Amino acid sequence: MSTRKTPRSGKRQNIQVAVRVRPLNANEIADRSRNIVGLDRVARSVSLKDRASSRVYAPFDKVYGEKDSQAVIYSDLIAPLVSEVLTGYNCTVFVYGQTGTGKTYTMEGHHDESGEYSWQNDPTCGVIPRALHHIFTELEKQELEEYSVRVSYLELYNEELYDLLGASDIQSTRLRIFEDPMKKGSVVINGMEEVPVKNRDEVYRLLRRGAERRKTAATLMNMNSSRSHSVFTVTVVIRENSVNGEELLKQGKLHLVDLAGSENVGKSGAVDKRAREAGNINQSLLTLGRVITSLTSNAQHIPYRESKLTRILQDSLGGRTITTLIATLSPAQSNFEESVNTLEYALRAKNIKNHPEVNEKLSRRALLKEYNEEIERLRKDLMAAREQNGVYLATENYEDMVEQIQKQTERIEKIEGELEGVIAKLQRAMADIEMMDAHYQKVYERNQAMHTKLEKRRSEVEQLSRDLATTKHTLEATEFALGESQAYGEKARNQNVELGETCTILSTQLEKTHDKIDQLKGIFVTNDKLYGDFAAERIHKIHDLDNVLQKCRATVQDVSNTTTSVVDTTGTSIGDFCTSIRTLFAETVSRTEHFASEVSEALSTQCSEGVSTAKIHSDSVEGSLSEMKKLNAVAFSQLESLLALTTRAFEKVEANKQQFLENSECERVVAEKQRRTFADQMRSMLEQQTKLFNESLQLAAKMEELTGENDVEVKKGLEETRKIGETFAKAVDETKEEALLECQLETEKGRQAVKSVDELNSALSVANKKAFMDSERLHTENLKGNLTSIEELKKSVVANCSNSLAEEVATTVTQAVDLVKSNAESQAASVETAVGDAAVRLGEAQLAIETFVHEKVQRPQSSGATPERTRFPPASEIPALDTSDALKEAFYASRQQFKRKSIRTRESLFENEIPLMSPVSLQRMLGSLEEEKDENVDDELINDCETISARAVERETPEKELDARAVRRNRRRAFGSNNFDV
Ligand SMILES: Nc1ncnc2c1ncn2[C@@H]1O[C@H](COP(=O)(O)OP(=O)(O)OP(=O)(O)O)[C@@H](O)[C@H]1O
């Protein structure tokens, strides 16, 4: 395969050289051979201790001792190369050393026949299986689908190449090396089998096959395996696509070379004389030494072509390959010289500078074209050579021509070899492609299965997308509702906290209120009892007072009766007095008339004047009497009015008492009613309180208010009662005083009347006296004789009349007045006593009321525990949680702000889908292309294909890529068919 190199950072680098020292083997131990090798890992030096001296060889890139495992060697030296190979570099690892120092062990490891270990976990497993395992691991890790891994295993013995993996008999398989016409400095090994490796497990099988063929060869050809070289090559081709959709092939190679034992080669590549004599000259090893020497001495000519080994590995020595040399040593003293040679060889090799370059990635089209052109060129050369063979020449020239033909034949053979090599390369390339096509087939089938699965999944995805959209929508709505609920919940929680706090306060206050209510209840019960007792007591007292008033009434009645009787008596007395006066007057009149008749008779004419005078006097007395009658009538009427007043006073007292009693009863009834109402209210309030917690405060307040009002009412009632009592007492006092005053006034009026009667009588008496004296004086003048008798009579009449009448009247009046007075006084005293008693009782009642009100009536004691009226702030409004419909509306409203994002379906993934071409379709397409061999048509097709590829690349779907690849593959096959026709 043609590869071009791109510089690796443009740097030249020395071959990496490592030294590995194996442990002393059984023979060496048996020979008691000393370990003379010392390693300094820091200085990366190896020292060899001779008996006399110690030689140090340094620096190496790495030094490994007997304890360093295969895994360490691999991970340090080979693993990095695998990465380089996958990147597109060629890498070579040489194992160089004396026979039996562990070259094969390092490269292949032990073949564990026991089956105890699989090759993956066999600690003795060498570089080759590890490298292949690693390569597959990396390819899988990088998820590369299209790659090919091929291995070849060559043995070079006595400058003959044998294919250890070839299918045919190893003896008959003669591998020939030709220059690679397409790449200068490279060779083509004609007939070499490059076996594709599909997985790790095939590696051991191949290694075993190689080992068996080696053994067979050794037996058949009496081959000394320690003098043969083996080259195990792993070729990794990775197909990848460039950005413009072009298919690129990236190739890297790893050569693992187990060289023949170095014991016959001297320091500078000189062959040991004895070995030379024995014919055991190892040309390849010899040339390798020389090449190394030439490379390190900057010689003009590097003798690569002098051995097949150096020809094959030319690129690995001073070329573009990354090269590592592992020098294996025996630690035994017996191998001192060989160890010295190996170390010196290794140090020399370390000076070789390579300039690694990554193999250029070539497009398949270019590669195939290149191959085609080369084949065509070789075909033409061959034809030309053959045609030359058919020319007839003169005999003279015949020999020259024979010679020429001989040369031509050799040339034809050479060209044929080269052609075969190229064709072999092409075939390998085609095998690679086949391998990758097989991969493609698998990928196609997998893709078809995936496509079917994808279709199924697509419908599922569509359904799921719809479900997802619904679910998303629901989720959003739910999230929205949840948010709302959370906010509401938060508000409610805060409110709850507030309410909790308020409840705690209210609970405490309610507790205290209940205490207060209990206290009030107790007070009300006590007050109820007290009111009962007080009412009973008051009723008792009122009864007492009633008795007193009855007594007072009786007394007043007595007074009235007495007064009436006194008045009657007085009236009678006055009547009697009047009668007496009339009698007396009649007597006086009769006496006077008798006297007058006597005087008339005696005094006839003289007495007529006396009679007229007497008549005048009589008229005067008559007037006086009528005046007295009037006065008596006035006195009577005054007494009547006094009686009426007394009666009225009594009636007033009675009325007042009745009113007082009624008022008291009313008050008592009102108080009782209030008490009952209050008790009912209390009861209902208590019931309500127990039922309605939230109204408890208000009820408590109201209760408190009512309690206050009731208290006020009670106080007011008591006050009113007290006032009424006072009013009653006052009224009684006033009535008493008024009655007394009226009595006194009437009595005074009576006295005045009596006095005026007395005065009138006195005045009358004086007037009569004066009249009689005047008459006497007149009659004295006229009647001197009889004047004395008349005068005496007159005096006696006047005296008798005035004295007895006055005395009688006075006595009667005085008696009457005294009687009235004494009666009035005694009645007044008894009324006063009764009133005083009533007053005392009223005072007692008042005191009792006051005591009751102020002392007995219990009032709620201020305990300080009754909660103060607290106005709790109204609970903050918690909006009622919206209904789901309202929430939905709110959600949709909120959604209006944001355009609803369309749920992205996977439609887009499928809409540009281009069906993947099946291998059958490809085959058909290939057939049609085979029919159209015209290059123009090919070009046209290529253009078409490229257009399709470009379109496919633009669409960037794996399916389209595959399609483009299919087209390219088609194209490639078209070329391939041409080539095979050749
Ligand atoms: N590092 C090592 N640890 C343990 N044993 C080793 C080590 N190196 C080599 N041996 C053992 O030494 C013996 C010889 O090793 P090996 O055959 O690999 O040598 P060689 O260099 O390949 O010889 P030849 O050149 O003849 O092929 C083997 O038995 C191998 O197991």
Side-chain angles (χ1 to χ4, degrees):
M1 184 181 289
S2 172
T3 53
R4 295 205 182 97
K5 305 277 181 172
T6 50
R8 192 200 197 209
S9 313
K11 278 188 179 176
R12 286 165 67 87
Q13 66 179 46
N14 286 74
I15 288 178
Q16 183 180 227
V17 177
V19 176
R20 187 181 193 192
V21 183
R22 68 158 169 78
L24 286 166
N25 63 26
N27 290 336
E28 288 162 347
I29 293 167
D31 291 346
R32 298 189 175 178
S33 188
R34 279 195 309 120
N35 185 340
I36 58 163
V37 181
L39 300 176
D40 185 341
R41 289 174 196 270
V42 179
R44 290 174 288 154
S45 65
V46 179
S47 60
L48 296 176
K49 290 169 196 156
D50 197 4
R51 286 193 184 87
S53 62
S54 170
R55 299 184 202 176
V56 178
Y57 298 89
F60 296 100
D61 291 296
K62 298 269 180 179
V63 289
Y64 297 100
E66 57 187 66
K67 287 181 182 168
D68 287 314
S69 67
Q70 297 279 68
V72 170
I73 300 291
Y74 181 81
S75 62
D76 276 9
L77 300 175
I78 317 300
L81 298 180
V82 167
S83 304
E84 301 286 8
V85 168
L86 294 177
T87 315
Y89 284 95
N90 289 345
C91 300
T92 303
V93 180
F94 290 106
V95 194
Y96 179 87
Q98 186 188 357
T99 299
T101 51
K103 296 186 295 294
T104 308
Y105 178 78
T106 301
M107 272 299 165
E108 295 177 20
H110 275 310
H111 299 291
D112 179 36
E113 303 293 339
S114 67
E116 191 182 343
Y117 296 110
S118 65
W119 67 273
Q120 292 100 324
N121 56 13
D122 183 359
T124 64
C125 182
V127 166
I128 295 172
R130 283 178 195 272
L132 278 160
H133 181 266
H134 188 185
I135 284 167
F136 278 109
T137 307
E138 284 297 312
L139 287 169
E140 283 165 10
K141 203 191 286 178
Q142 292 176 21
E143 294 181 347
L144 294 167
E145 289 284 358
E146 292 178 64
Y147 60 84
S148 78
V149 179
R150 283 181 285 108
V151 296
S152 63
Y153 203 2
L154 295 175
E155 183 163 42
L156 182 61
Y157 183 72
N158 239 351
E159 289 305 296
E160 286 295 337
L161 272 172
Y162 299 97
D163 189 352
L164 292 178
L165 299 179
S168 52
D169 183 12
I170 190 165
Q171 271 184 299
S172 62
T173 310
R174 184 174 138 263
L175 300 178
R176 294 171 66 191
I177 300 175
F178 297 100
E179 292 297 319
D180 188 344
M182 295 162 69
K183 199 169 91 180
K184 208 179 170 193
S186 293
V187 292
V188 176
I189 301 169
N190 189 15
M192 182 185 73
E193 194 91 29
E194 280 193 277
V195 182
V197 184
K198 296 196 175 66
N199 53 55
R200 301 172 179 84
D201 298 331
E202 290 183 23
V203 178
Y204 239 25
R205 186 176 56 77
L206 290 171
L207 284 174
R208 285 212 176 117
R209 189 168 142 200
E212 277 168 18
R213 281 174 71 89
R214 205 175 192 181
K215 210 184 279 177
T216 310
T219 311
L220 290 174
M221 294 177 280
N222 199 21
M223 189 192 287
N224 185 350
S225 63
S226 64
R227 285 196 213 121
S228 69
H229 311 278
S230 69
V231 180
F232 187 92
T233 304
V234 187
T235 308
V236 182
V237 181
I238 298 167
R239 186 156 63 187
E240 52 187 34
N241 292 293
S242 67
V243 282
N244 55 4
E246 193 181 11
E247 192 174 313
L248 296 176
L249 296 175
K250 183 172 72 179
Q251 177 185 278
K253 280 189 177 182
L254 177 63
H255 301 290
L256 300 168
V257 185
D258 183 0
L259 293 170
S262 62
E263 54 276 1
N264 296 322
V265 180
K267 286 179 196 173
S268 56
V271 181
D272 182 70
K273 193 181 172 189
R274 279 176 292 150
R276 196 194 296 265
E277 285 169 358
N280 292 333
I281 304 163
N282 193 320
Q283 183 65 31
S284 287
L285 205 59
L286 184 68
T287 310
L288 182 64
R290 283 180 187 161
V291 166
I292 290 169
T293 305
S294 302
L295 283 169
T296 52
S297 62
N298 294 324
Q300 288 296 315
H301 174 68
I302 312 295
Y304 291 116
R305 296 182 62 83
E306 289 181 12
S307 80
K308 286 186 176 171
L309 180 70
T310 49
R311 282 186 77 189
I312 293 168
L313 299 173
Q314 181 179 337
D315 196 49
S316 305
L317 299 161
R320 291 159 294 191
T321 304
I322 300 167
T323 304
T324 298
L325 177 72
I326 303 172
T328 55
L329 288 183
S330 161
Q333 188 186 8
S334 55
N335 294 320
F336 177 76
E337 284 300 326
E338 289 305 325
S339 296
V340 168
N341 284 342
T342 303
L343 289 171
E344 285 180 351
Y345 191 94
L347 275 178
R348 207 165 51 250
K350 188 167 166 41
N351 292 322
I352 299 172
K353 285 192 189 303
N354 283 5
H355 43 93
E357 286 176 16
V358 69
N359 295 320
E360 189 183 326
K361 295 171 191 170
L362 282 179
S363 74
R364 178 176 284 184
R365 189 161 66 103
L367 185 68
L368 291 173
K369 197 175 175 187
E370 209 174 323
Y371 280 144
N372 271 332
E373 284 170 3
E374 185 59 25
I375 287 168
E376 190 60 27
R377 189 182 63 77
L378 289 169
R379 192 165 61 99
K380 281 178 184 167
D381 282 356
L382 188 62
M383 289 300 288
R386 278 180 181 159
E387 277 168 12
Q388 278 182 5
N389 281 344
V391 175
Y392 290 94
L393 296 172
T395 314
E396 200 173 79
N397 294 327
Y398 176 72
E399 287 177 358
D400 292 338
M401 282 304 291
V402 167
E403 194 182 342
Q404 215 170 355
I405 286 168
Q406 185 65 36
K407 283 180 186 172
Q408 287 288 346
T409 306
E410 283 174 8
R411 191 167 161 247
I412 286 168
E413 278 181 1
K414 190 180 168 225
I415 291 167
E416 277 179 346
E418 285 176 1
L419 186 60
E420 278 178 19
V422 172
I423 287 171
K425 276 176 83 174
L426 183 60
Q427 281 173 342
R428 276 199 296 279
M430 293 310 295
D432 276 347
I433 290 165
E434 284 299 323
M435 199 188 300
M436 284 186 259
D437 282 349
H439 275 294
Y440 172 75
Q441 178 70 27
K442 278 185 194 167
V443 169
Y444 174 78
E445 283 165 8
R446 204 164 59 205
N447 180 269
Q448 282 299 98
M450 290 297 286
H451 189 73
T452 313
K453 215 170 168 184
L454 192 65
E455 280 296 322
K456 204 175 146 199
R457 287 278 181 273
R458 181 165 63 176
S459 60
E460 284 175 11
V461 165
E462 277 169 9
Q463 183 57 41
L464 283 171
S465 294
R466 283 194 292 275
D467 291 352
L468 181 67
T470 314
T471 311
K472 249 181 164 179
H473 191 62
T474 312
L475 179 69
E476 282 172 11
T478 310
E479 277 174 353
F480 181 81
L482 189 65
E484 290 291 307
S485 301
Q486 275 175 345
Y488 180 81
E490 188 61 27
K491 272 186 192 171
R493 201 182 66 76
N494 293 336
Q495 183 77 350
N496 193 26
V497 169
E498 280 175 23
L499 281 174
E501 287 168 0
T502 310
C503 276
T504 310
I505 296 165
L506 281 176
S507 181
T508 314
Q509 290 189 350
L510 187 66
E511 193 67 29
K512 290 175 180 174
T513 308
H514 274 296
D515 291 346
K516 190 74 185 174
I517 288 164
D518 289 343
Q519 189 197 355
L520 286 171
K521 267 185 189 171
I523 288 169
F524 282 124
V525 168
T526 312
N527 281 351
D528 198 22
K529 191 172 174 302
L530 285 170
Y531 278 128
D533 295 347
F534 181 68
E537 193 188 1
R538 279 220 313 193
I539 288 164
H540 182 68
K541 294 282 181 192
I542 285 164
H543 279 306
D544 286 354
L545 196 61
D546 194 26
N547 291 333
V548 170
L549 287 171
Q550 287 292 344
K551 279 181 189 172
C552 187
R553 193 178 178 183
T555 308
V556 170
Q557 190 64 43
D558 288 347
V559 170
S560 175
N561 293 338
T562 311
T563 308
T564 307
S565 69
V566 167
V567 169
D568 289 344
T569 311
T570 307
T572 310
S573 299
I574 289 170
D576 292 344
F577 173 66
C578 286
T579 307
S580 304
I581 286 174
R582 273 191 204 100
T583 309
L584 186 60
F585 180 69
E587 282 176 4
T588 307
V589 168
S590 69
R591 280 182 188 178
T592 305
E593 281 174 355
H594 180 71
F595 177 70
S597 63
E598 283 180 354
V599 167
S600 298
E601 286 174 356
L603 294 173
S604 64
T605 330
Q606 285 117 358
C607 280
S608 59
E609 287 180 7
V611 170
S612 63
T613 307
K615 202 171 180 293
I616 292 162
H617 284 172
S618 174
D619 290 342
S620 173
V621 169
E622 192 72 30
S624 295
L625 280 172
S626 67
E627 194 73 26
M628 276 180 72
K629 273 181 185 173
K630 280 180 189 169
L631 285 172
N632 280 335
V634 169
F636 184 76
S637 71
Q638 281 177 348
L639 283 172
E640 280 290 327
S641 67
L642 178 64
L643 183 63
L645 277 171
T646 307
T647 308
R648 270 208 314 276
F650 172 76
E651 281 171 2
K652 212 169 184 176
V653 168
E654 185 64 23
N656 283 341
K657 188 202 80 177
Q658 280 301 331
Q659 196 177 356
F660 173 74
L661 285 173
E662 279 169 13
N663 285 342
S664 297
E665 188 61 23
C666 273
E667 284 303 311
R668 194 185 65 74
V669 168
V670 167
E672 183 65 23
K673 202 173 168 185
Q674 280 180 349
R675 186 187 64 75
R676 280 202 190 120
T677 311
F678 177 71
D680 290 344
Q681 282 175 345
M682 278 286 290
R683 217 169 289 120
S684 71
M685 274 191 288
L686 284 168
E687 282 169 4
Q688 280 179 356
Q689 270 184 342
T690 51
K691 282 178 188 171
L692 302 166
F693 169 74
N694 289 333
E695 292 176 15
S696 62
L697 185 66
Q698 292 174 1
L699 284 173
K702 197 175 171 186
M703 192 172 67
E704 200 173 339
E705 248 173 51
L706 285 170
T707 307
E709 281 174 14
N710 186 62
D711 201 14
V712 170
E713 284 291 318
V714 169
K715 275 183 185 170
K716 204 170 153 188
L718 289 171
E719 188 64 27
E720 277 181 11
T721 308
R722 192 178 64 76
K723 276 182 185 168
I724 289 164
E726 282 175 358
T727 310
F728 175 72
K730 202 174 166 185
V732 168
D733 284 347
E734 280 175 1
T735 308
K736 182 188 76 179
E737 282 171 10
E738 201 177 328
L740 283 173
L741 197 66
E742 278 187 14
C743 283
Q744 281 171 358
L745 277 172
E746 291 306 316
T747 308
E748 190 61 30
K749 276 182 184 171
R751 277 186 191 145
Q752 287 292 328
V754 172
K755 198 178 170 184
S756 55
V757 169
D758 194 20
E759 281 173 1
L760 191 63
N761 286 338
S762 299
L764 187 61
S765 173
V766 171
N768 283 336
K769 216 183 249 180
K770 192 181 173 187
F772 276 115
M773 283 176 73
D774 287 343
S775 163
E776 193 179 17
R777 267 191 316 267
L778 283 170
H779 283 291
T780 302
E781 287 174 358
N782 297 323
L783 299 165
K784 288 184 183 175
N786 293 324
L787 283 179
T788 308
S789 59
I790 294 170
E791 187 70 33
E792 283 176 1
L793 181 63
K794 191 180 121 184
K795 282 181 183 175
S796 124
V797 168
V798 171
N800 284 335
C801 186
S802 64
N803 287 335
S804 63
L805 187 62
E807 276 177 15
E808 200 174 343
V809 170
T811 304
T812 306
V813 170
T814 304
Q815 277 176 355
V817 167
D818 286 346
L819 187 63
V820 170
K821 197 176 173 182
S822 72
N823 281 338
E825 278 176 356
S826 73
Q827 293 307 323
S830 85
V831 168
E832 199 161 349
T833 309
V835 168
D837 195 16
V840 168
R841 283 169 192 275
L842 279 170
E844 282 174 4
Q846 189 176 343
L847 192 67
I849 288 166
E850 281 177 1
T851 310
F852 175 76
V853 169
H854 295 298
E855 292 175 10
K856 287 192 180 171
V857 172
Q858 288 193 4
R859 287 177 180 76
Q861 294 299 313
S862 176
S863 61
T866 310
E868 285 185 2
R869 189 186 298 277
T870 311
R871 296 263 178 231
F872 288 99
S876 55
E877 276 286 309
I878 301 178
L881 186 59
D882 287 344
T883 60
S884 59
D885 288 341
L887 275 176
K888 272 180 202 163
E889 275 175 25
F891 168 66
Y892 289 129
S894 74
R895 287 288 301 264
Q896 278 179 355
Q897 295 172 18
F898 309 100
K899 260 193 167 178
R900 188 179 165 212
K901 289 178 190 167
S902 59
I903 304 298
R904 188 170 170 269
T905 64
R906 298 294 300 274
E907 292 290 341
S908 56
L909 292 176
F910 308 113
E911 60 195 10
N912 293 326
E913 188 179 344
I914 291 177
L916 183 63
M917 285 180 82
S918 71
V920 178
S921 309
L922 280 172
Q923 205 62 43
R924 274 199 216 111
M925 200 170 172
L926 176 67
S928 66
L929 284 169
E930 277 174 354
E931 284 166 14
E932 296 168 11
K933 287 183 183 173
D934 186 0
E935 266 195 65
N936 291 334
V937 177
D938 278 354
D939 285 344
E940 212 175 292
L941 182 65
I942 287 165
N943 287 337
D944 287 349
C945 292
E946 277 176 350
T947 312
I948 295 167
S949 302
R951 256 193 8 236
V953 168
E954 271 169 23
R955 286 172 183 157
E956 290 180 358
T957 61
E959 291 83 357
K960 282 170 268 167
E961 275 180 28
L962 285 170
D963 191 47
R965 284 180 197 175
V967 172
R968 286 197 293 275
R969 201 160 26 253
N970 215 358
R971 194 176 62 218
R972 184 196 65 225
R973 286 190 181 181
F975 286 120
S977 328
N978 279 338
N979 295 336
F980 287 127
D981 285 343
V982 173

